[in-house]
Amino acid sequence: MVGFTPSKSEKPTMTASLTALAAELTQRAEIGPEDVLALRRLVWHDGGVNTAEADTLMALNSACPVRSPEWIDYFVEVMCDHVIHQQQPTGYVDDAKAQWLMQAIDHDGKVDSLAELELLVKVLETANSVPQALKAYALMQIEAAVVTGEGPTRKTGLMVGNGLLDKGAINDTEVELLRRVIYAQAGDGHYIVSRDEAELLFRLKDANLNAGHSAQWPDLFVKAIANHMMAHAAYQPLTREEQQNLDAYAADTSVSVLRFASRVFGHRTPDARLSKTVLDNSVSDDAAAMADAVVTHAERTWLDARIDADGAQDVLETQLLNFIRREQQEKSRYSA
């Protein structure tokens, strides 16, 4: 239906039809595959998703506890389009859209459905840039599910290893969501694990020590913390403001290229997390990566404090230290 533009006389009819269908589904408290097809026809009638339509779909997701798998796919697809692509510059989520999304899916500080949590993660993976508050909100939802044992990622009676999944345990779904959020292209760090994210992973580890957990959890913890301490990023995506300026330049050929580039990028300061050394243009990216791989005194002090927090070095912390040691030895051999 994308690309079809209804006449002015058809639009009120489609709006009324969407309202009537939403009322019927709310009364039934269930969304089936055939309902999703009907919603696709009504919402995509003009190739976009306006705020009223997005509000209607959000309300439906909350009002219908029984949802088909097709609904989750559709809900995430249509909401991503609304949040990411229905403003300029496309691909950049502004503060207003981020706040709208968080308020729409928040229920007393919690996200109730896996569809809403999947939507949050998909926005982070798809958008070029989002406000950091949105990524922090997504991580907070996963942490709350692990610590409390309740939330959209939990199922009654779920087993992990030889024991019940309880408070503090991390299941496969949560590990995968954590991995996707932490390494999403949008948000803090751009593939580099930030200090806040590293602190979160340590909190989850400490809460998880005496509980069953996913077999994938140790690998995520060790490699993500090592990433925080040693990783290098050669690419820094444009900010929303820079993209706006770039779009304006593309529409105005009278602007000097050199003057435009100076105005957009001339005063840009590299993110301190992405490089521990001040590098000029003559230094190769390989050299920059080698410099960033060195664990600084400040980083080691932070890590020692985290390891000493509970008075003992646990198995995962030992695995982490061994991994960092092997990585540094490999870098040393490479640079020799």
Side-chain angles (χ1 to χ4, degrees):
M1 298 300 292
V2 176
F4 167 68
T5 303
S7 66
K8 292 182 179 179
S9 62
E10 290 175 307
K11 288 182 180 180
T13 301
M14 289 185 171
T15 300
S17 298
L18 177 60
T19 301
L21 178 57
E24 176 188 337
L25 296 177
T26 299
Q27 178 68 27
R28 194 200 312 162
E30 179 179 351
I31 304 175
E34 68 285 354
D35 302 316
V36 174
L37 287 175
L39 288 167
R40 281 187 179 277
R41 288 193 293 269
L42 292 171
V43 174
W44 286 116
H45 63 82
D46 56 357
V49 186
N50 62 42
T51 301
E53 292 165 339
D55 286 338
T56 297
L57 295 176
M58 278 289 186
L60 271 178
N61 189 68
S62 298
C64 300
V66 180
R67 316 175 188 94
S68 70
E70 291 84 358
W71 164 257
I72 295 180
D73 292 340
Y74 170 69
F75 178 74
V76 172
E77 174 191 358
V78 74
M79 286 301 171
C80 277
D81 184 78
H82 176 67
V83 172
I84 299 172
H85 301 298
Q86 297 299 311
Q87 72 278 313
Q88 296 299 323
T90 183
Y92 289 76
V93 179
D94 59 19
D95 288 330
K97 273 289 176 67
Q99 287 299 320
W100 174 87
L101 178 58
M102 288 186 286
Q103 290 172 5
I105 66 178
D106 190 273
H107 307 280
D108 297 324
K110 298 183 296 183
V111 172
D112 284 346
S113 76
L114 197 56
E116 293 168 334
L117 190 53
E118 174 64 22
L119 169 59
L120 275 176
V121 176
K122 198 67 175 178
V123 167
L124 293 170
E125 290 180 319
T126 307
N128 295 328
S129 177
V130 303
Q132 179 55 25
L134 190 62
K135 189 172 187 179
Y137 181 76
L139 288 170
M140 180 181 71
Q141 300 305 317
I142 303 171
E143 181 178 15
V146 173
V147 173
T148 65
E150 301 175 352
T153 60
R154 295 300 168 123
K155 295 179 181 179
T156 303
L158 182 64
M159 300 288 291
V160 174
N162 296 318
L164 278 173
L165 181 65
D166 55 11
K167 295 180 181 180
I170 303 176
N171 64 34
D172 290 340
T173 298
E174 289 155 352
V175 169
E176 184 57 26
L177 288 171
L178 280 169
R179 190 188 310 277
R180 291 170 62 194
V181 173
I182 288 172
Y183 294 113
Q185 69 172 356
D188 195 20
H190 308 296
Y191 306 114
I192 300 297
V193 178
S194 71
R195 176 58 58 85
D196 286 344
E197 291 160 356
E199 294 278 1
L200 164 68
L201 292 172
F202 263 103
R203 290 197 301 272
L204 291 177
K205 175 192 67 67
D206 291 342
N208 174 255
L209 288 178
N210 298 315
H213 59 71
S214 163
Q216 306 305 315
W217 165 242
D219 181 76
L220 173 63
F221 173 80
V222 168
K223 292 181 179 177
I225 300 299
N227 172 292
H228 169 64
M229 300 184 68
M230 303 176 67
H232 166 72
Y235 169 69
Q236 191 174 355
L238 300 182
T239 66
R240 182 171 181 271
E241 291 72 22
E242 289 169 345
Q243 185 64 53
Q244 285 178 317
N245 288 337
L246 186 61
D247 290 347
Y249 165 72
D252 184 3
T253 57
S254 66
V255 177
S256 162
V257 174
L258 292 177
R259 180 157 45 87
F260 165 78
S262 175
R263 184 173 71 248
V264 176
F265 306 111
H267 301 292
R268 189 176 192 179
T269 301
D271 191 324
R273 293 184 307 277
L274 304 186
S275 181
K276 304 180 186 69
T277 56
V278 179
L279 301 169
D280 60 32
N281 292 333
S282 65
V283 179
S284 71
D285 192 60
D286 284 345
M290 290 297 300
D292 282 349
V294 175
V295 177
T296 66
H297 175 72
E299 289 172 331
R300 186 57 198 242
T301 299
W302 170 82
L303 181 59
D304 288 343
R306 295 303 304 143
I307 292 175
D308 294 340
D310 56 1
Q313 182 174 307
D314 58 55
V315 173
L316 280 185
E317 290 167 345
T318 299
Q319 292 179 16
L320 170 62
L321 293 174
N322 289 337
F323 181 85
I324 291 174
R325 188 177 300 111
R326 288 194 302 270
E327 286 293 300
Q328 290 183 318
Q329 289 171 350
E330 181 65 25
K331 292 289 186 181
S332 297
R333 286 195 295 269
Y334 176 78
S335 61

